[in-house]
Structure formats: structure tokens, C-alpha cells
Amino acid sequence: MLNRFIYVLLLSVNISFANVIIPAQFSDHMVLQQNDDVKFWGWANPNEEVFIQPSWTSEIYKTKANNQALWELKIKTPDAGGPYIIKINGYNEIILKDVLIGEVWLCSGQSNMEMSAAWGIKNGDEAIKNASHPTIRFFTVPKTSAISPQNNLHGNWDVCSPETMKNSSAIAYYFAQRLQEDLKDVPIGLMVSAWGGTPAEIWMPEEVIEENKILKEAANNLKPTEWGPTKPARAYNAMIHPLVGYEIAGVLWYQGESNVGASNYDKTLEALIKSWRAKWENDFPFYYVQIAPYDYGKDHFGGVEIRDAQRKVLDKVSKSGMVVICDVSPTNDIHPKDKKPVGVRLANLALADYYKTYFKEVNGPLFKGVSIKKKNVVVHFDNAEGLYLTNKNTSLFEIAGEDKIFYTAKVKLKKNEITISSKRVKAPKFVRYAWGNTSVSNLFNKVNLPASSFTTEY
């Protein structure tokens, strides 16, 4: 009886004095968003008081766990800097060490975002050797899936060193490195949650797809693969949802190859962006990479249709941006090895659009519209200053009449304006450019950035 009484007493003590628990992303070496009210949360015994004291202030933040054993509170962060420590106390004490305050970016998508220097990227050995950047930190989410939203995940923050950079996202690394050139070594936190070979549908909440007929039909057409899940929300539930609420500056996205063949990718990507912003309750910038030209097959336009869908999202979603990389990507490799210009172009976009510290043009020529003048068509572009063709003997412009039969067009370029025509099209109505899965743009602007492919057919 005595032994039984002691057992019950110990059990009741454990229940009454449960340890405070925090999600994996709150750990040593983490980066918190600067000048923000960042949310901390975790679990504790119902009604247990939780105290948080950051070393950058004398203020002590206090809250209580609710009847679901969940607690949360917001803490004001200072300007970029550190390192700091953060003490979290309930019935136990957690001390987070080497915490930096800076800029946090979520980097997601499929294999080209996941791809590290260890995969054999261009100039990778040199990059690894020089990758000692203690104020760049990686939080890499392991590949996991779930049928319902999860509240925690595995992972830890790593300080950027040759050893850690080697197996972390190369694009994210080059992005951070370029940001620090302009932001004067502000700490950069990179939360990398990516999975090669995955379609966009697995990266958004299931209800978003279920409530949209077009998205649901597209999701139902996805075929199982050996590389990862294809059912809606499987990666979102396990690899994104647990991060929701962790304050971020914005999102980098590189995905689309696994949706080649889809006819409504623009609607899918638009829905994904809006759903993430809704979950975070934050209209953060969302910058993405247009997929590179690649030979997906000569009997369809699946690859270039995804590129055009990505282009269309720019007009549908505010605070979005796209980088075109066809000039640094061979058409025979779905995993282009030259990752530095991709990361740099994303960073330049962020520096110009979000941080307002970079004042050069960061976008290639983007299709704006056409003016039809009898047999001639004038094609208008944004970001067209200094427009030039790298090969004047090869035309990637095509025009068609009402019958939508396209013919290669003759091109005249004068004063940043392009006029096209074809003797075979007497009444032009439709125009397209670089319209092929492997078509590589030969039209650039003054900052040597390529034009995106486009069509007016749809």
C-alpha cells in the first residue's frame, strides 16, 4: 500500500509540474526577425505560468498555459545584433544561447531549392571553402509528411560554416550572402523546407484545394511517384504548418517542374501564396524562380506553359516577384548547377523591392502588351531600357491569325521597341515568344537580364 501511495504521489507531481516545452525552431543559434513583435509559443501544464526574459531587455514577459496546455506571447525584438540569450521559465528552465536578431526567410519548393553544394554545384568547392559566415544560420526541415497539420517538427539551427553550408540549400546561402553585402552584415536566418520531386499541391492546406473545383481537379490528376507524396497538404502539414507563426521577412520559392503538364498552375501558385499569407496573418513578399528550360518532350508545351503561368502570377498577386534564369541553365539538366546567379537575383529583387537599398534594375523584360498595326505587331515590354538581341539572325517571336497557326516572325528592334511581322500572316492576332520547352531567351535589357517567355494565345 505504501509503495502504491508513493507511485500515485510521484505521478501527481509529474502531472502538476509538467516541463515547459517549445517547438524545435526555438533553439540555440536561432535568428529572430528584427524590430518586430515575434511570437513565442509552446506547451506547459494548464494554468502554469511561463516567464520569458531576453537578454536584450530588462523586461520579463509573462503568460499562462491554457486548458489545452498551450501558451503563447509576443516579444519585442530590437535592431539587428546579438548574440543574446533567452531564458524561459515555468516549473523548469530553458536557456537559449547564441540567439541573433536579423532577417528571417523561409525557403521552400522542390529539388532546385533543396540542392546543396554537396550535389556538385558550379564552383561548389570554392564556395564551401569560403563559407565561414557565423551570422548566417540554417534551419533545415527534414522530409516528413502527415495527413493532418502538425504542431512540431524535428530540426535545429546551424551556424554557417564549410561543414554546414556544404549540405544546406545553395540558393538560400547565396541569397543570404548577397543580402549581407547591402545590409551591412545583418544576421540572416534561412528556414529551408524543401522536397525534391514534389508538386505544389502538397505544399498548401488541404481545405484550400478541397474548396476550389479547379485546384481539386488538378490535384486528382497527380500520379503517385517514388520521390515523394502527391496527395494534397502532405508536406504542408508536416513541414510548413509547424513553422506558422514564426516571424519571417518573406518567402523564396523554387518549384514547378513536378507540375509540368498542369493547365492551371498560375491558379495553384496564387492559391498557395495567399494561403500561406493567411496562415501567417502576414502579407509578406513572395519571390520565386521561373523554372529553367528543359526537354520535357517535344510533343507538348508543358514546360513553357509552367513558365508562362509563373509569369502571370506577377499580375495576380501583390508583393510577388520572379527571377528568370534561362541564361544560366542548360536545357539538358533539370538541376542546373549554377546556383549563385539564382540566389543573387533573388537577393537583388528583395533588396530593391523590400529593403529599398538597391536601385538598379532587377527584372528582365516582361511582356506588357501588343499593338496591332495592319500586318505589323508592336510588342511592348516593361523593364525594356537598353533592349537588345544576342542573336539577330534567330527569331523566337511567332505570330498567328485567328486560326492560331503560328509562324516565325521577322523582328525589328528600334529604340527599345520591337515590331514583328510575317508574310504568311495577313491579319495577326496572337503573339508568342520563346515558346518551347527548351527555348532560351535571346532578348535582354541593359542589365543583361533575359526576357520571360510568353504567349497571348490563352
Side-chain angles (χ1 to χ4, degrees):
M1 288 293 291
L2 180 60
N3 288 339
R4 204 170 155 194
F5 172 76
I6 292 172
Y7 172 77
V8 172
L9 179 63
L10 289 173
L11 181 62
S12 66
V13 168
N14 285 334
I15 293 172
S16 299
F17 298 95
N19 282 345
V20 172
I21 302 171
I22 53 176
Q25 58 267 35
F26 296 106
S27 61
D28 293 347
H29 315 303
M30 70 178 178
V31 181
L32 294 173
Q33 185 64 31
Q34 67 173 323
N35 296 314
D36 207 339
D37 292 316
V38 301
K39 186 170 79 169
F40 276 71
W41 70 93
W43 304 271
N45 210 45
N47 212 38
E48 180 178 350
E49 285 193 317
V50 178
F51 302 87
I52 300 184
Q53 184 171 16
S55 66
W56 61 78
T57 179
S58 60
E59 186 171 354
I60 298 175
Y61 297 83
K62 181 174 68 173
T63 189
K64 282 186 178 182
N66 63 19
N67 63 354
Q68 304 298 311
L70 176 67
W71 59 267
E72 63 178 53
L73 51 75
K74 290 194 173 183
I75 294 176
K76 181 70 176 176
T77 54
D79 291 339
Y84 300 103
I85 64 169
I86 300 175
K87 293 181 180 179
I88 303 174
N89 290 92
Y91 295 132
N92 60 311
E93 181 176 72
I94 300 171
I95 300 178
L96 304 179
K97 306 179 191 70
D98 189 32
V99 175
L100 299 182
I101 308 296
E103 295 294 308
V104 183
W105 286 82
L106 174 59
C107 312
S108 189
Q110 54 183 110
S111 53
N112 277 302
M113 179 60 79
E114 179 188 358
M115 191 172 175
S116 68
W119 291 31
I121 66 169
K122 184 177 180 180
N123 300 321
D125 290 342
E126 184 71 14
I128 292 169
K129 185 175 70 174
N130 297 315
S132 294
H133 298 284
T135 58
I136 295 176
R137 307 287 173 86
F138 295 99
F139 184 90
T140 302
V141 178
K143 297 182 183 69
T144 47
S145 64
I147 61 174
S148 60
Q150 303 298 294
N151 59 18
N152 205 352
L153 43 65
H154 295 287
N156 55 271
W157 286 92
D158 292 314
V159 178
C160 183
S161 67
E163 293 75 23
T164 58
M165 177 270 181
K166 181 179 180 179
N167 295 300
S168 301
S169 167
I171 285 176
Y173 168 74
Y174 286 123
F175 171 82
Q177 195 179 36
R178 173 68 188 99
L179 282 191
Q180 288 195 332
E181 290 177 4
D182 276 25
L183 300 183
K184 304 186 188 308
D185 295 320
V186 166
I188 306 295
L190 303 164
M191 308 185 85
V192 182
S193 185
W195 191 334
T198 54
E201 285 81 358
I202 76 163
W203 291 101
M204 68 178 80
E206 188 167 8
E207 65 269 16
V208 174
I209 293 175
E210 288 297 319
E211 294 168 4
N212 186 303
K213 183 179 178 181
I214 293 174
L215 300 184
K216 189 173 182 179
E217 183 178 348
N220 289 338
N221 288 332
L222 293 170
K223 302 292 190 294
T225 72
E226 60 182 300
W227 304 289
T230 56
K231 290 188 177 297
R234 291 303 196 262
Y236 170 82
N237 289 337
M239 299 175 65
I240 297 295
H241 187 80
L243 303 176
V244 170
Y246 195 96
E247 294 299 329
I248 59 176
V251 171
L252 307 181
W253 177 257
Y254 192 161
Q255 190 277 338
E257 295 92 344
S258 289
N259 282 95
V260 166
S263 58
N264 292 292
Y265 184 78
D266 54 331
K267 293 180 174 57
T268 301
L269 182 55
E270 179 184 3
L272 183 147
I273 297 169
K274 291 180 177 179
S275 70
W276 284 20
R277 287 175 173 174
K279 291 293 184 180
W280 257 272
E281 298 180 355
N282 182 355
D283 194 24
F284 46 65
F286 193 103
Y287 303 135
Y288 54 93
V289 182
Q290 186 184 65
I291 65 170
Y294 178 72
D295 188 1
Y296 294 98
K298 300 186 184 300
D299 59 340
H300 65 82
F301 293 107
V304 71
E305 285 171 348
I306 294 294
R307 298 204 300 272
D308 197 44
Q310 291 172 321
R311 180 189 64 84
K312 290 178 180 177
V313 171
L314 293 172
D315 293 327
K316 297 181 177 182
V317 180
S318 65
K319 297 182 182 179
S320 64
M322 180 183 78
V323 297
V324 180
I325 61 165
C326 60
D327 59 320
V328 293
S329 306
T331 60
N332 62 352
D333 190 351
I334 201 169
H335 298 119
K337 302 297 187 294
D338 197 1
K339 295 304 185 193
K340 185 171 183 177
V342 183
V344 168
R345 289 177 189 184
L346 285 168
N348 285 340
L349 187 56
L351 290 167
D353 180 65
Y354 180 65
Y355 293 109
K356 311 297 184 186
T357 62
Y358 188 68
F359 304 102
K360 294 181 180 180
E361 181 60 71
V362 294
N363 294 297
L366 277 174
F367 173 71
K368 185 178 181 180
V370 297
S371 301
I372 299 175
K373 300 177 180 179
K374 296 183 179 179
K375 294 182 180 181
N376 295 324
V377 178
V378 179
V379 186
H380 307 285
F381 290 89
D382 288 323
N383 321 314
E385 190 174 346
L387 212 60
Y388 70 94
L389 292 163
T390 56
N391 186 344
K392 296 180 180 180
N393 297 321
T394 301
S395 173
L396 296 177
F397 284 93
E398 299 173 276
I399 58 175
E402 188 71 38
D403 58 6
K404 293 187 178 183
I405 298 175
F406 283 88
Y407 297 94
T408 299
K410 183 180 178 181
V411 179
K412 291 182 180 180
L413 173 57
K414 186 177 181 181
K415 294 182 179 179
N416 301 326
E417 187 174 89
I418 288 181
T419 302
I420 62 175
S421 62
S422 171
K423 293 180 180 179
R424 305 185 71 175
V425 181
K426 296 181 179 180
K429 185 171 183 179
F430 301 105
V431 177
R432 66 190 188 189
Y433 171 73
W435 198 253
N437 291 341
T438 59
S439 296
V440 177
S441 177
N442 63 353
L443 179 65
F444 291 75
N445 60 10
K446 68 174 184 177
V447 291
N448 303 315
L449 291 174
S452 168
S453 50
F454 71 86
T455 183
T456 64
E457 185 180 0
Y458 306 116

